[in-house]
Every structure is written in structure tokens, then in C-alpha cells.
Amino acid sequence: MTWILVLLLLLCALYLLFLYGIFRFVFWNSDDRKKKGPSLPKGPGYDSWREDMAALVGLMEEQVPTEQIRIMAEDGTILCGRYYAGEEDAPVEILFHGYRGGAVRDMCGAHKIAREHGIGTILVDERAHGESGGNVTTFGIRERRDVLSWARYAEERFGKERPLILSGVSMGAAAVLMAAGEPLPENVCGIVADCPFSSPEAIIRNVMKGMHVSFLWPSVALSALLFGHFSLTQSSALSGVQNTDLPILLIHGEADDFVPAQMSRDLARAGKRVSLFLFPGAAHGVSYLTDTERYTQAELDTQAELDWIAAVTGWKTAE
């Protein structure tokens, strides 16, 4: 009996070690990785765009931020960002990057659109990325509350009359959609989500399916609970769009093999005021490069029926 107990304890210890390994692999972003930052993506959907991506990132890096910003998240984590001033009284767009991505690489297209139209921007380093604190990324679970913290900061800084736009790509897109179901400031007037996933569980299951390790899902979820102290099922982009009246613009590449475009289709069906723009042939996060003109129009065209676009065009007309 004693040997059986010892064996069971040993197996439990080995399983806990296995769970910790999963946690480090999926959710942990080391300080070295944060410091190094993301590289340009490679592969069939990206190689033909690498020069354009490099040029766009280079253009972004040339822009000198008006100010470096530090705020505190609800759990005490320090969050960092860069503010780029727009024209006086113009809307302010808060930009959120993707999983293990970076503000400059992931948001350079959206920032270029904003800059060309006089819109102010805040480029956020999400928790566990860039200059922000923490090492644990939660696929939007805690990040959605960080979105709320940034929106409240912007409301306090720029005033209740200044229109705020929440934008993100990939995990950042999912986070802003999750935040749509939270008590956002009233001057948040629209959301732009480029290639969002419908829920943390859905995207992790999809990636695991592609790796032929779907059977490990319970262990991944358990590792998040044990070592990250969060549940992957406590929030979703789907629930966010179902519980908001804000206008939402969804953008997704139809050749996205990381976050399937079907997830945006599902989100569009679930929302009340959603416009969906699909980009044929576009891989994950490169819809802007695939058709820059159409992407820009999707954000600025009044036919998209987004209130914040009306605010932008009204402001521009008044100039």
C-alpha cells in the first residue's frame, strides 16, 4: 500500500511538472523575449509582403511619440504605451497588438491611417510584452480589463467629449471585443477588430487541433488555473459583442490559417451593430498590405455605418 501511495504521489508530481511546462510554453513571455521583441512573420502568406512590412515598420519607428505613458492596471501591473498627438479635438485611437507581438509591428498600418487623418493614437505594450510589466499573457482574459484601464485613462486625460476608438489585431482585437461587454467610458464610440478570435478556448483548441494535440486541452486549461490563476472560459469576444450596442468593424483575411475567418463571421452574426470586411488571399494580420486602399476605406468610409466614423468625418468637415 505504501508503494502505491508513493507511486501516486510521484505521478502527481510529474503531472504537475508537466502542467507547469505547458504553462510556460503557452502563457509565459520571458524577459528576454520581451526585450528582443517580435520579428517579421515568415511563410507562404507573408514572404511576398516582407519588404512592404519592413518599410511600414520602419516608417512607424521613424515617428517620434509625443509622450511615453505609464499607467497601473487593476491588479497593480505597470502598463506602458506611447502617445502620438493628432490634430486638436480629433478622436484618439487606442491600439492593442497581438499575442507575443508588438505595438510597432502589429499596429503600424492602423497607426499610419490614423496619422494621415489627424487622429491621435496611443500604442499600447500589452501586459507581458514590450516595456509593460508581467510575464503572463492570458489571451484577453486580463487584457480586457487593461483595455478598460486605458480607456479610463484616455477619458480622464482628454475629457469626456473626446471620441475614443478601441482598435486591436489578433489577441488585441479579441481583447477590445471582450472589453465591449465591460462598463467602458461613454465617449468610447466604436471598436475596430482585425482578425480577432471568438474566445480564448476556441483559438487554443484550433491551434492544438492543427498540432494534433487536441487531447491536451484540459491540461492547458488546468495549467492556466493553477499557475496563472485565471480561467480561459471566463470571458470571450463572442460574449462581448453580444452585450454591447457599440458599432464594431471586423476585418479578417480569408487566407488566415491561424485565426480562421469563420470566427469573425460568427462574431458578426452575434453582434447588434457589426460591419464585416473580408480580404481574399490575406493571411493573418496582413489585410492592410493585401489591399491598403480597401482597408483604409473600411475604416473611414461612412457607408460602414459606424458612429465613430461619422464623428471623424464630421470633425474633418468642420476643419
mmCIF file of all heavy atoms in Angstrom, residues 83-94 114-115 117-122 154 158-159 161-166 187-190 300 307-316 319:
data_model
loop_
_atom_site.group_PDB
_atom_site.id
_atom_site.type_symbol
_atom_site.label_atom_id
_atom_site.label_comp_id
_atom_site.label_asym_id
_atom_site.label_seq_id
_atom_site.Cartn_x
_atom_site.Cartn_y
_atom_site.Cartn_z
ATOM 1 N N TYR A 83 2.139 57.831 -26.738
ATOM 2 C CA TYR A 83 1.088 58.710 -27.258
ATOM 3 C C TYR A 83 1.624 59.529 -28.420
ATOM 4 O O TYR A 83 2.702 60.124 -28.337
ATOM 5 C CB TYR A 83 0.588 59.633 -26.156
ATOM 6 C CG TYR A 83 -0.335 60.724 -26.646
ATOM 7 C CD1 TYR A 83 -1.490 60.413 -27.366
ATOM 8 C CD2 TYR A 83 -0.052 62.062 -26.391
ATOM 9 C CE1 TYR A 83 -2.336 61.423 -27.822
ATOM 10 C CE2 TYR A 83 -0.890 63.075 -26.833
ATOM 11 C CZ TYR A 83 -2.025 62.744 -27.556
ATOM 12 O OH TYR A 83 -2.860 63.739 -28.019
ATOM 13 N N TYR A 84 0.879 59.528 -29.516
ATOM 14 C CA TYR A 84 1.184 60.338 -30.690
ATOM 15 C C TYR A 84 0.016 61.305 -30.874
ATOM 16 O O TYR A 84 -1.101 60.891 -31.159
ATOM 17 C CB TYR A 84 1.341 59.470 -31.932
ATOM 18 C CG TYR A 84 2.466 58.462 -31.854
ATOM 19 C CD1 TYR A 84 2.299 57.259 -31.165
ATOM 20 C CD2 TYR A 84 3.694 58.694 -32.474
ATOM 21 C CE1 TYR A 84 3.320 56.332 -31.088
ATOM 22 C CE2 TYR A 84 4.724 57.767 -32.402
ATOM 23 C CZ TYR A 84 4.533 56.589 -31.711
ATOM 24 O OH TYR A 84 5.535 55.659 -31.627
ATOM 25 N N ALA A 85 0.280 62.576 -30.687
ATOM 26 C CA ALA A 85 -0.785 63.573 -30.747
ATOM 27 C C ALA A 85 -1.337 63.720 -32.158
ATOM 28 O O ALA A 85 -0.576 63.699 -33.140
ATOM 29 C CB ALA A 85 -0.273 64.916 -30.241
ATOM 30 N N GLY A 86 -2.648 63.866 -32.248
ATOM 31 C CA GLY A 86 -3.287 64.184 -33.509
ATOM 32 C C GLY A 86 -3.648 65.651 -33.549
ATOM 33 O O GLY A 86 -3.112 66.459 -32.766
ATOM 34 N N GLU A 87 -4.546 65.995 -34.438
ATOM 35 C CA GLU A 87 -4.994 67.377 -34.503
ATOM 36 C C GLU A 87 -5.906 67.675 -33.310
ATOM 37 O O GLU A 87 -6.487 66.776 -32.709
ATOM 38 C CB GLU A 87 -5.716 67.625 -35.826
ATOM 39 C CG GLU A 87 -4.796 67.468 -37.029
ATOM 40 C CD GLU A 87 -5.483 67.794 -38.338
ATOM 41 O OE1 GLU A 87 -6.494 68.523 -38.313
ATOM 42 O OE2 GLU A 87 -5.021 67.319 -39.379
ATOM 43 N N GLU A 88 -6.002 68.951 -32.979
ATOM 44 C CA GLU A 88 -6.762 69.363 -31.808
ATOM 45 C C GLU A 88 -8.213 68.897 -31.898
ATOM 46 O O GLU A 88 -8.868 69.055 -32.938
ATOM 47 C CB GLU A 88 -6.706 70.891 -31.656
ATOM 48 C CG GLU A 88 -7.339 71.395 -30.375
ATOM 49 C CD GLU A 88 -7.186 72.894 -30.211
ATOM 50 O OE1 GLU A 88 -6.537 73.516 -31.085
ATOM 51 O OE2 GLU A 88 -7.709 73.428 -29.223
ATOM 52 N N ASP A 89 -8.701 68.306 -30.829
ATOM 53 C CA ASP A 89 -10.075 67.812 -30.714
ATOM 54 C C ASP A 89 -10.377 66.615 -31.607
ATOM 55 O O ASP A 89 -11.528 66.185 -31.714
ATOM 56 C CB ASP A 89 -11.091 68.927 -31.015
ATOM 57 C CG ASP A 89 -10.999 70.068 -30.010
ATOM 58 O OD1 ASP A 89 -10.695 69.782 -28.834
ATOM 59 O OD2 ASP A 89 -11.225 71.221 -30.406
ATOM 60 N N ALA A 90 -9.357 66.062 -32.279
ATOM 61 C CA ALA A 90 -9.577 64.862 -33.078
ATOM 62 C C ALA A 90 -9.803 63.658 -32.167
ATOM 63 O O ALA A 90 -9.404 63.663 -31.001
ATOM 64 C CB ALA A 90 -8.381 64.607 -33.984
ATOM 65 N N PRO A 91 -10.441 62.622 -32.666
ATOM 66 C CA PRO A 91 -10.577 61.391 -31.877
ATOM 67 C C PRO A 91 -9.213 60.829 -31.497
ATOM 68 O O PRO A 91 -8.190 61.136 -32.116
ATOM 69 C CB PRO A 91 -11.311 60.440 -32.833
ATOM 70 C CG PRO A 91 -12.000 61.336 -33.803
ATOM 71 C CD PRO A 91 -11.094 62.524 -33.972
ATOM 72 N N VAL A 92 -9.186 59.999 -30.472
ATOM 73 C CA VAL A 92 -7.979 59.295 -30.043
ATOM 74 C C VAL A 92 -8.243 57.796 -30.184
ATOM 75 O O VAL A 92 -9.255 57.287 -29.701
ATOM 76 C CB VAL A 92 -7.602 59.626 -28.587
ATOM 77 C CG1 VAL A 92 -6.430 58.767 -28.116
ATOM 78 C CG2 VAL A 92 -7.263 61.106 -28.453
ATOM 79 N N GLU A 93 -7.332 57.121 -30.870
ATOM 80 C CA GLU A 93 -7.458 55.681 -31.094
ATOM 81 C C GLU A 93 -6.424 54.955 -30.235
ATOM 82 O O GLU A 93 -5.237 55.271 -30.278
ATOM 83 C CB GLU A 93 -7.242 55.362 -32.577
ATOM 84 C CG GLU A 93 -7.527 53.930 -32.941
ATOM 85 C CD GLU A 93 -7.540 53.707 -34.456
ATOM 86 O OE1 GLU A 93 -7.100 54.625 -35.190
ATOM 87 O OE2 GLU A 93 -7.965 52.628 -34.891
ATOM 88 N N ILE A 94 -6.894 53.983 -29.447
ATOM 89 C CA ILE A 94 -6.006 53.194 -28.587
ATOM 90 C C ILE A 94 -5.790 51.848 -29.260
ATOM 91 O O ILE A 94 -6.744 51.134 -29.564
ATOM 92 C CB ILE A 94 -6.599 53.026 -27.181
ATOM 93 C CG1 ILE A 94 -7.069 54.375 -26.623
ATOM 94 C CG2 ILE A 94 -5.562 52.411 -26.242
ATOM 95 C CD1 ILE A 94 -7.770 54.274 -25.276
ATOM 96 N N ALA A 114 -4.398 56.418 -39.048
ATOM 97 C CA ALA A 114 -4.750 57.440 -38.065
ATOM 98 C C ALA A 114 -3.925 58.706 -38.266
ATOM 99 O O ALA A 114 -4.460 59.822 -38.269
ATOM 100 C CB ALA A 114 -4.550 56.885 -36.659
ATOM 101 N N ARG A 115 -2.618 58.537 -38.454
ATOM 102 C CA ARG A 115 -1.728 59.688 -38.617
ATOM 103 C C ARG A 115 -2.113 60.507 -39.847
ATOM 104 O O ARG A 115 -2.124 61.747 -39.806
ATOM 105 C CB ARG A 115 -0.278 59.201 -38.723
ATOM 106 C CG ARG A 115 0.747 60.325 -38.763
ATOM 107 C CD ARG A 115 2.180 59.792 -38.798
ATOM 108 N NE ARG A 115 2.479 59.096 -40.050
ATOM 109 C CZ ARG A 115 2.623 57.781 -40.160
ATOM 110 N NH1 ARG A 115 2.462 57.008 -39.108
ATOM 111 N NH2 ARG A 115 2.921 57.233 -41.324
ATOM 112 N N HIS A 117 -4.903 60.931 -41.107
ATOM 113 C CA HIS A 117 -6.187 61.607 -40.951
ATOM 114 C C HIS A 117 -6.255 62.439 -39.676
ATOM 115 O O HIS A 117 -7.338 62.837 -39.231
ATOM 116 C CB HIS A 117 -7.319 60.580 -40.981
ATOM 117 C CG HIS A 117 -7.495 59.948 -42.324
ATOM 118 N ND1 HIS A 117 -6.739 58.880 -42.741
ATOM 119 C CD2 HIS A 117 -8.320 60.249 -43.359
ATOM 120 C CE1 HIS A 117 -7.088 58.543 -43.971
ATOM 121 N NE2 HIS A 117 -8.041 59.355 -44.370
ATOM 122 N N GLY A 118 -5.088 62.704 -39.082
ATOM 123 C CA GLY A 118 -5.035 63.616 -37.944
ATOM 124 C C GLY A 118 -5.540 63.054 -36.636
ATOM 125 O O GLY A 118 -5.757 63.806 -35.678
ATOM 126 N N ILE A 119 -5.746 61.752 -36.561
ATOM 127 C CA ILE A 119 -6.279 61.123 -35.351
ATOM 128 C C ILE A 119 -5.130 60.827 -34.398
ATOM 129 O O ILE A 119 -4.088 60.305 -34.794
ATOM 130 C CB ILE A 119 -7.025 59.817 -35.704
ATOM 131 C CG1 ILE A 119 -8.204 60.132 -36.634
ATOM 132 C CG2 ILE A 119 -7.501 59.085 -34.453
ATOM 133 C CD1 ILE A 119 -8.857 58.898 -37.234
ATOM 134 N N GLY A 120 -5.301 61.151 -33.125
ATOM 135 C CA GLY A 120 -4.304 60.837 -32.125
ATOM 136 C C GLY A 120 -4.307 59.345 -31.817
ATOM 137 O O GLY A 120 -5.330 58.669 -31.975
ATOM 138 N N THR A 121 -3.164 58.814 -31.400
ATOM 139 C CA THR A 121 -3.080 57.387 -31.102
ATOM 140 C C THR A 121 -2.311 57.140 -29.814
ATOM 141 O O THR A 121 -1.404 57.898 -29.455
ATOM 142 C CB THR A 121 -2.385 56.602 -32.228
ATOM 143 O OG1 THR A 121 -1.095 57.175 -32.481
ATOM 144 C CG2 THR A 121 -3.204 56.609 -33.507
ATOM 145 N N ILE A 122 -2.688 56.068 -29.133
ATOM 146 C CA ILE A 122 -1.907 55.518 -28.029
ATOM 147 C C ILE A 122 -1.555 54.094 -28.411
ATOM 148 O O ILE A 122 -2.440 53.241 -28.566
ATOM 149 C CB ILE A 122 -2.682 55.540 -26.701
ATOM 150 C CG1 ILE A 122 -3.025 56.972 -26.286
ATOM 151 C CG2 ILE A 122 -1.862 54.852 -25.601
ATOM 152 C CD1 ILE A 122 -3.889 57.065 -25.037
ATOM 153 N N ALA A 154 -7.608 57.542 -20.888
ATOM 154 C CA ALA A 154 -7.811 58.477 -22.001
ATOM 155 C C ALA A 154 -8.979 59.414 -21.726
ATOM 156 O O ALA A 154 -8.925 60.611 -22.053
ATOM 157 C CB ALA A 154 -8.041 57.704 -23.296
ATOM 158 N N PHE A 158 -8.134 63.297 -21.773
ATOM 159 C CA PHE A 158 -8.582 64.091 -22.918
ATOM 160 C C PHE A 158 -9.993 64.659 -22.757
ATOM 161 O O PHE A 158 -10.421 65.472 -23.571
ATOM 162 C CB PHE A 158 -8.516 63.247 -24.195
ATOM 163 C CG PHE A 158 -7.148 62.732 -24.497
ATOM 164 C CD1 PHE A 158 -6.849 61.380 -24.376
ATOM 165 C CD2 PHE A 158 -6.136 63.586 -24.893
ATOM 166 C CE1 PHE A 158 -5.587 60.890 -24.651
ATOM 167 C CE2 PHE A 158 -4.856 63.119 -25.164
ATOM 168 C CZ PHE A 158 -4.580 61.769 -25.034
ATOM 169 N N GLY A 159 -10.709 64.234 -21.733
ATOM 170 C CA GLY A 159 -12.042 64.760 -21.489
ATOM 171 C C GLY A 159 -13.138 63.862 -22.025
ATOM 172 O O GLY A 159 -12.925 63.046 -22.930
ATOM 173 N N GLU A 161 -15.663 64.563 -23.772
ATOM 174 C CA GLU A 161 -16.199 64.902 -25.086
ATOM 175 C C GLU A 161 -15.322 64.399 -26.230
ATOM 176 O O GLU A 161 -15.731 64.433 -27.390
ATOM 177 C CB GLU A 161 -16.365 66.428 -25.199
ATOM 178 C CG GLU A 161 -17.262 67.044 -24.147
ATOM 179 C CD GLU A 161 -18.650 66.429 -24.155
ATOM 180 O OE1 GLU A 161 -19.203 66.235 -25.258
ATOM 181 O OE2 GLU A 161 -19.173 66.149 -23.059
ATOM 182 N N ARG A 162 -14.127 63.945 -25.909
ATOM 183 C CA ARG A 162 -13.184 63.497 -26.944
ATOM 184 C C ARG A 162 -13.533 62.068 -27.362
ATOM 185 O O ARG A 162 -13.500 61.145 -26.537
ATOM 186 C CB ARG A 162 -11.762 63.539 -26.386
ATOM 187 C CG ARG A 162 -10.653 63.431 -27.431
ATOM 188 C CD ARG A 162 -10.370 64.773 -28.075
ATOM 189 N NE ARG A 162 -9.171 64.730 -28.882
ATOM 190 C CZ ARG A 162 -7.961 65.093 -28.447
ATOM 191 N NH1 ARG A 162 -7.792 65.492 -27.184
ATOM 192 N NH2 ARG A 162 -6.929 65.052 -29.251
ATOM 193 N N PRO A 163 -13.883 61.817 -28.621
ATOM 194 C CA PRO A 163 -14.214 60.452 -29.051
ATOM 195 C C PRO A 163 -13.025 59.507 -28.913
ATOM 196 O O PRO A 163 -11.896 59.844 -29.273
ATOM 197 C CB PRO A 163 -14.597 60.638 -30.524
ATOM 198 C CG PRO A 163 -14.921 62.082 -30.679
ATOM 199 C CD PRO A 163 -14.027 62.798 -29.721
ATOM 200 N N LEU A 164 -13.271 58.329 -28.379
ATOM 201 C CA LEU A 164 -12.245 57.305 -28.234
ATOM 202 C C LEU A 164 -12.593 56.098 -29.094
ATOM 203 O O LEU A 164 -13.750 55.675 -29.149
ATOM 204 C CB LEU A 164 -12.126 56.853 -26.777
ATOM 205 C CG LEU A 164 -11.757 57.921 -25.744
ATOM 206 C CD1 LEU A 164 -11.736 57.299 -24.353
ATOM 207 C CD2 LEU A 164 -10.406 58.556 -26.073
ATOM 208 N N ILE A 165 -11.584 55.553 -29.779
ATOM 209 C CA ILE A 165 -11.730 54.369 -30.627
ATOM 210 C C ILE A 165 -10.818 53.288 -30.067
ATOM 211 O O ILE A 165 -9.647 53.543 -29.783
ATOM 212 C CB ILE A 165 -11.331 54.677 -32.088
ATOM 213 C CG1 ILE A 165 -12.094 55.890 -32.627
ATOM 214 C CG2 ILE A 165 -11.546 53.458 -32.981
ATOM 215 C CD1 ILE A 165 -11.416 56.568 -33.807
ATOM 216 N N LEU A 166 -11.338 52.101 -29.912
ATOM 217 C CA LEU A 166 -10.540 50.968 -29.451
ATOM 218 C C LEU A 166 -10.249 50.059 -30.630
ATOM 219 O O LEU A 166 -11.171 49.597 -31.303
ATOM 220 C CB LEU A 166 -11.286 50.184 -28.362
ATOM 221 C CG LEU A 166 -11.733 50.979 -27.140
ATOM 222 C CD1 LEU A 166 -12.486 50.074 -26.167
ATOM 223 C CD2 LEU A 166 -10.543 51.646 -26.447
ATOM 224 N N ASN A 187 -17.603 57.965 -23.880
ATOM 225 C CA ASN A 187 -17.053 58.533 -25.107
ATOM 226 C C ASN A 187 -16.305 57.509 -25.964
ATOM 227 O O ASN A 187 -15.764 57.857 -27.007
ATOM 228 C CB ASN A 187 -16.173 59.750 -24.820
ATOM 229 C CG ASN A 187 -15.045 59.461 -23.844
ATOM 230 O OD1 ASN A 187 -15.188 58.631 -22.956
ATOM 231 N ND2 ASN A 187 -13.940 60.162 -24.003
ATOM 232 N N VAL A 188 -16.264 56.244 -25.547
ATOM 233 C CA VAL A 188 -15.825 55.180 -26.455
ATOM 234 C C VAL A 188 -16.951 54.982 -27.458
ATOM 235 O O VAL A 188 -18.054 54.573 -27.107
ATOM 236 C CB VAL A 188 -15.532 53.863 -25.702
ATOM 237 C CG1 VAL A 188 -15.234 52.753 -26.707
ATOM 238 C CG2 VAL A 188 -14.360 54.047 -24.750
ATOM 239 N N CYS A 189 -16.683 55.299 -28.718
ATOM 240 C CA CYS A 189 -17.763 55.337 -29.692
ATOM 241 C C CYS A 189 -17.625 54.310 -30.803
ATOM 242 O O CYS A 189 -18.440 54.274 -31.733
ATOM 243 C CB CYS A 189 -17.886 56.735 -30.293
ATOM 244 S SG CYS A 189 -16.346 57.402 -30.909
ATOM 245 N N GLY A 190 -16.625 53.437 -30.744
ATOM 246 C CA GLY A 190 -16.515 52.402 -31.762
ATOM 247 C C GLY A 190 -15.306 51.518 -31.533
ATOM 248 O O GLY A 190 -14.375 51.881 -30.824
ATOM 249 N N LEU A 300 -12.691 54.254 -42.808
ATOM 250 C CA LEU A 300 -13.076 55.663 -42.944
ATOM 251 C C LEU A 300 -14.374 55.905 -43.710
ATOM 252 O O LEU A 300 -14.965 56.967 -43.598
ATOM 253 C CB LEU A 300 -11.940 56.440 -43.620
ATOM 254 C CG LEU A 300 -10.615 56.468 -42.848
ATOM 255 C CD1 LEU A 300 -9.548 57.127 -43.686
ATOM 256 C CD2 LEU A 300 -10.777 57.186 -41.526
ATOM 257 N N ASP A 307 -20.657 54.929 -35.894
ATOM 258 C CA ASP A 307 -20.817 56.259 -35.316
ATOM 259 C C ASP A 307 -19.493 57.009 -35.225
ATOM 260 O O ASP A 307 -19.437 58.214 -35.427
ATOM 261 C CB ASP A 307 -21.442 56.163 -33.924
ATOM 262 C CG ASP A 307 -22.919 55.784 -33.982
ATOM 263 O OD1 ASP A 307 -23.478 55.732 -35.089
ATOM 264 O OD2 ASP A 307 -23.493 55.545 -32.912
ATOM 265 N N TRP A 308 -18.411 56.286 -34.884
ATOM 266 C CA TRP A 308 -17.143 56.999 -34.722
ATOM 267 C C TRP A 308 -16.637 57.512 -36.059
ATOM 268 O O TRP A 308 -15.951 58.524 -36.139
ATOM 269 C CB TRP A 308 -16.116 56.119 -34.028
ATOM 270 C CG TRP A 308 -15.574 54.969 -34.811
ATOM 271 C CD1 TRP A 308 -15.994 53.684 -34.766
ATOM 272 C CD2 TRP A 308 -14.493 54.990 -35.746
ATOM 273 N NE1 TRP A 308 -15.255 52.901 -35.608
ATOM 274 C CE2 TRP A 308 -14.328 53.671 -36.222
ATOM 275 C CE3 TRP A 308 -13.645 55.987 -36.236
ATOM 276 C CZ2 TRP A 308 -13.351 53.322 -37.146
ATOM 277 C CZ3 TRP A 308 -12.682 55.633 -37.151
ATOM 278 C CH2 TRP A 308 -12.532 54.326 -37.594
ATOM 279 N N ILE A 309 -16.976 56.835 -37.153
ATOM 280 C CA ILE A 309 -16.576 57.327 -38.476
ATOM 281 C C ILE A 309 -17.313 58.629 -38.777
ATOM 282 O O ILE A 309 -16.744 59.584 -39.298
ATOM 283 C CB ILE A 309 -16.864 56.275 -39.561
ATOM 284 C CG1 ILE A 309 -15.887 55.107 -39.406
ATOM 285 C CG2 ILE A 309 -16.736 56.868 -40.951
ATOM 286 C CD1 ILE A 309 -16.107 53.987 -40.380
ATOM 287 N N ALA A 310 -18.584 58.680 -38.407
ATOM 288 C CA ALA A 310 -19.348 59.913 -38.583
ATOM 289 C C ALA A 310 -18.718 61.033 -37.758
ATOM 290 O O ALA A 310 -18.640 62.180 -38.199
ATOM 291 C CB ALA A 310 -20.804 59.699 -38.168
ATOM 292 N N ALA A 311 -18.239 60.684 -36.565
ATOM 293 C CA ALA A 311 -17.582 61.686 -35.741
ATOM 294 C C ALA A 311 -16.301 62.186 -36.389
ATOM 295 O O ALA A 311 -16.011 63.377 -36.414
ATOM 296 C CB ALA A 311 -17.283 61.115 -34.355
ATOM 297 N N VAL A 312 -15.538 61.258 -36.962
ATOM 298 C CA VAL A 312 -14.293 61.630 -37.623
ATOM 299 C C VAL A 312 -14.566 62.508 -38.836
ATOM 300 O O VAL A 312 -13.980 63.573 -39.018
ATOM 301 C CB VAL A 312 -13.503 60.375 -38.046
ATOM 302 C CG1 VAL A 312 -12.300 60.756 -38.894
ATOM 303 C CG2 VAL A 312 -13.044 59.616 -36.811
ATOM 304 N N THR A 313 -15.497 62.077 -39.694
ATOM 305 C CA THR A 313 -15.774 62.855 -40.911
ATOM 306 C C THR A 313 -16.420 64.181 -40.565
ATOM 307 O O THR A 313 -16.174 65.181 -41.239
ATOM 308 C CB THR A 313 -16.692 62.046 -41.849
ATOM 309 O OG1 THR A 313 -17.862 61.669 -41.155
ATOM 310 C CG2 THR A 313 -15.989 60.816 -42.362
ATOM 311 N N GLY A 314 -17.244 64.209 -39.510
ATOM 312 C CA GLY A 314 -17.836 65.466 -39.078
ATOM 313 C C GLY A 314 -16.783 66.431 -38.604
ATOM 314 O O GLY A 314 -16.800 67.626 -38.929
ATOM 315 N N TRP A 315 -15.807 65.878 -37.868
ATOM 316 C CA TRP A 315 -14.714 66.710 -37.378
ATOM 317 C C TRP A 315 -13.878 67.225 -38.531
ATOM 318 O O TRP A 315 -13.521 68.392 -38.597
ATOM 319 C CB TRP A 315 -13.866 65.893 -36.397
ATOM 320 C CG TRP A 315 -12.480 66.441 -36.200
ATOM 321 C CD1 TRP A 315 -12.142 67.571 -35.504
ATOM 322 C CD2 TRP A 315 -11.279 65.916 -36.743
ATOM 323 N NE1 TRP A 315 -10.785 67.766 -35.569
ATOM 324 C CE2 TRP A 315 -10.230 66.771 -36.315
ATOM 325 C CE3 TRP A 315 -10.968 64.805 -37.519
ATOM 326 C CZ2 TRP A 315 -8.898 66.535 -36.649
ATOM 327 C CZ3 TRP A 315 -9.653 64.569 -37.847
ATOM 328 C CH2 TRP A 315 -8.647 65.428 -37.424
ATOM 329 N N LYS A 316 -13.595 66.347 -39.518
ATOM 330 C CA LYS A 316 -12.790 66.757 -40.655
ATOM 331 C C LYS A 316 -13.505 67.825 -41.488
ATOM 332 O O LYS A 316 -12.903 68.763 -41.951
ATOM 333 C CB LYS A 316 -12.456 65.549 -41.529
ATOM 334 C CG LYS A 316 -11.538 64.529 -40.872
ATOM 335 C CD LYS A 316 -10.178 65.117 -40.543
ATOM 336 C CE LYS A 316 -9.323 65.298 -41.783
ATOM 337 N NZ LYS A 316 -7.965 65.749 -41.436
ATOM 338 N N GLU A 319 -13.287 71.290 -40.160
ATOM 339 C CA GLU A 319 -11.982 71.965 -40.200
ATOM 340 C C GLU A 319 -11.962 73.027 -41.289
ATOM 341 O O GLU A 319 -11.981 72.825 -42.410
ATOM 342 C CB GLU A 319 -10.887 70.925 -40.444
ATOM 343 C CG GLU A 319 -10.571 70.146 -39.167
ATOM 344 C CD GLU A 319 -9.974 71.022 -38.102
ATOM 345 O OE1 GLU A 319 -8.925 71.640 -38.377
ATOM 346 O OE2 GLU A 319 -10.537 71.121 -37.023
#
